[in-house]
Amino acid sequence: MRGGSSLFSTFRADMHAALLEFVGTTFFLTSAFGGVQAISAEANESGGTSFVDRDMKIALSFGFSLLVAAWLFFRITGGLFNPQVSLALLLCGIIGPVRFVLYCVAQLVGGIAAAALVLALTPGPLQANTFLAPGINPAQGVFIEAFITAGLCLAVLMLAAEKHLVTPFAPVGIGLTLFIGHLFAVFYTGAGMNTARSFGPAVVTGFPHGTQWIYWVGPTLGAVFAAAFYGILKHYEYWRLNPGQDTVDESQSPPDPIKKVATSRQRRLGSVSEASEAPSSIIANGEKLNGSDDVASETRPNDSPV
């Protein structure tokens, strides 16, 4: 009973946070899905566009949508918007199991709400489904999703969960991580990186592709990898490897390199001058020694038979 009471001791706050996490997830994914929908509509109107142009615009849409949404909700709920990020935080002991479950529900429902909103607000079929490109097998899809999701989760852990001077700017780094993940994978897998992002459009469109499981297994593996790596870094005190990186104390900056070179030169010149003075002292000592020998020779008894 005592453990159960402790587990649910913050249930009210967890519920409030989950409600706001639903709002944040809906805002983030509505913005991102809306961008994809607009890109597809513009391509149809203009008679098509290059894959490079399309993929770049999709990556920008998701990366900047997350950057803005995370910055807005960062101090409210943490701005996770992703069941896999929630899992990584749970595995690292940053959030509790109750909040984890509530967040996952809120994020999945937020994904569905965002997809439904975009479908209702824009003409044409929803364009935000994730699926594998031709030539990509399910195993490749799983590990591509695992890799890019691990990067995203690690960005959240190192930039937001790990407190340092630039933590208030963590949404920038997290949004850019989502952006580069899309640059890599949007053509191959659609760059899910987030089960809520893939699940929402699939629910609204009736699961048109049979690979939805990839966007559950791959990102989940990525979250586990990221949490394990973060745990290793913490255990071995990573901050000792390159200390002082978060300080604003200017005295910790490197010394003046020009002054350092000049000081080193002066020391070398001093050593040379000392070495040049050494022979004269040796001569002086030699003269002194010779003088001593003369004195000694004068006082030495004459051993000659004459």
Side-chain angles (χ1 to χ4, degrees), residues 222-236:
V224 174
F225 293 156
F229 185 63
Y230 175 74
I232 292 170
L233 292 177
K234 291 286 285 186
H235 181 73
Y236 289 102

Side-chain angles (χ1 to χ4, degrees), residues 53 70 96-97 129 138 158 194-195 211 245 273 281 285 293:
D53 186 48
N129 273 305
M158 292 301 295
N194 179 346
T195 296
T211 54
Q245 295 308 302
S273 64
S281 63
N285 291 335
D293 290 341

Side-chain angles (χ1 to χ4, degrees), residues 132-138 140-141 144 187-188:
L132 300 182
I136 298 294
N137 62 49
Q140 290 173 321
I144 289 173
F187 176 76
Y188 297 117

Side-chain angles (χ1 to χ4, degrees), residues 134-159:
I136 298 294
N137 62 49
Q140 290 173 321
V142 165
F143 283 99
I144 289 173
E145 286 292 316
F147 175 76
I148 58 178
T149 306
L152 178 63
C153 292
L154 190 61
V156 173
L157 290 168
M158 292 301 295
L159 299 178

Side-chain angles (χ1 to χ4, degrees), residues 50-70:
S50 69
F51 282 117
V52 174
D53 186 48
R54 172 182 172 275
D55 293 348
M56 179 62 74
K57 288 180 178 178
I58 291 174
L60 285 170
S61 180
F62 274 91
F64 277 86
S65 293
L66 180 59
L67 189 159
V68 172

Side-chain angles (χ1 to χ4, degrees), residues 1 10-11 27 48 53 59 63 85 105 117 121 131 143 190 198 210 232 265 267 276-277 284:
M1 291 296 292
T10 60
F11 184 74
F27 174 78
D53 186 48
V85 172
V105 172
L117 278 171
L121 295 173
F131 52 88
F143 283 99
S198 297
I232 292 170
R265 184 171 179 274
R267 288 176 179 174
S276 63
E277 292 173 359

Side-chain angles (χ1 to χ4, degrees), residues 21-92:
E21 183 73 3
F22 162 76
V23 175
T25 304
T26 303
F27 174 78
F28 157 51
L29 290 178
T30 300
S31 302
F33 294 162
V36 174
Q37 201 78 351
I39 293 163
S40 300
E42 290 172 359
N44 291 334
E45 288 292 329
S46 62
T49 185
S50 69
F51 282 117
V52 174
D53 186 48
R54 172 182 172 275
D55 293 348
M56 179 62 74
K57 288 180 178 178
I58 291 174
L60 285 170
S61 180
F62 274 91
F64 277 86
S65 293
L66 180 59
L67 189 159
V68 172
W71 224 334
L72 289 175
F73 286 84
F74 182 55
R75 293 178 297 167
I76 304 172
T77 68
L80 310 185
F81 314 143
N82 185 331
Q84 278 70 39
V85 172
S86 300
L87 175 61
L89 296 185
L90 172 71
L91 294 175
C92 294

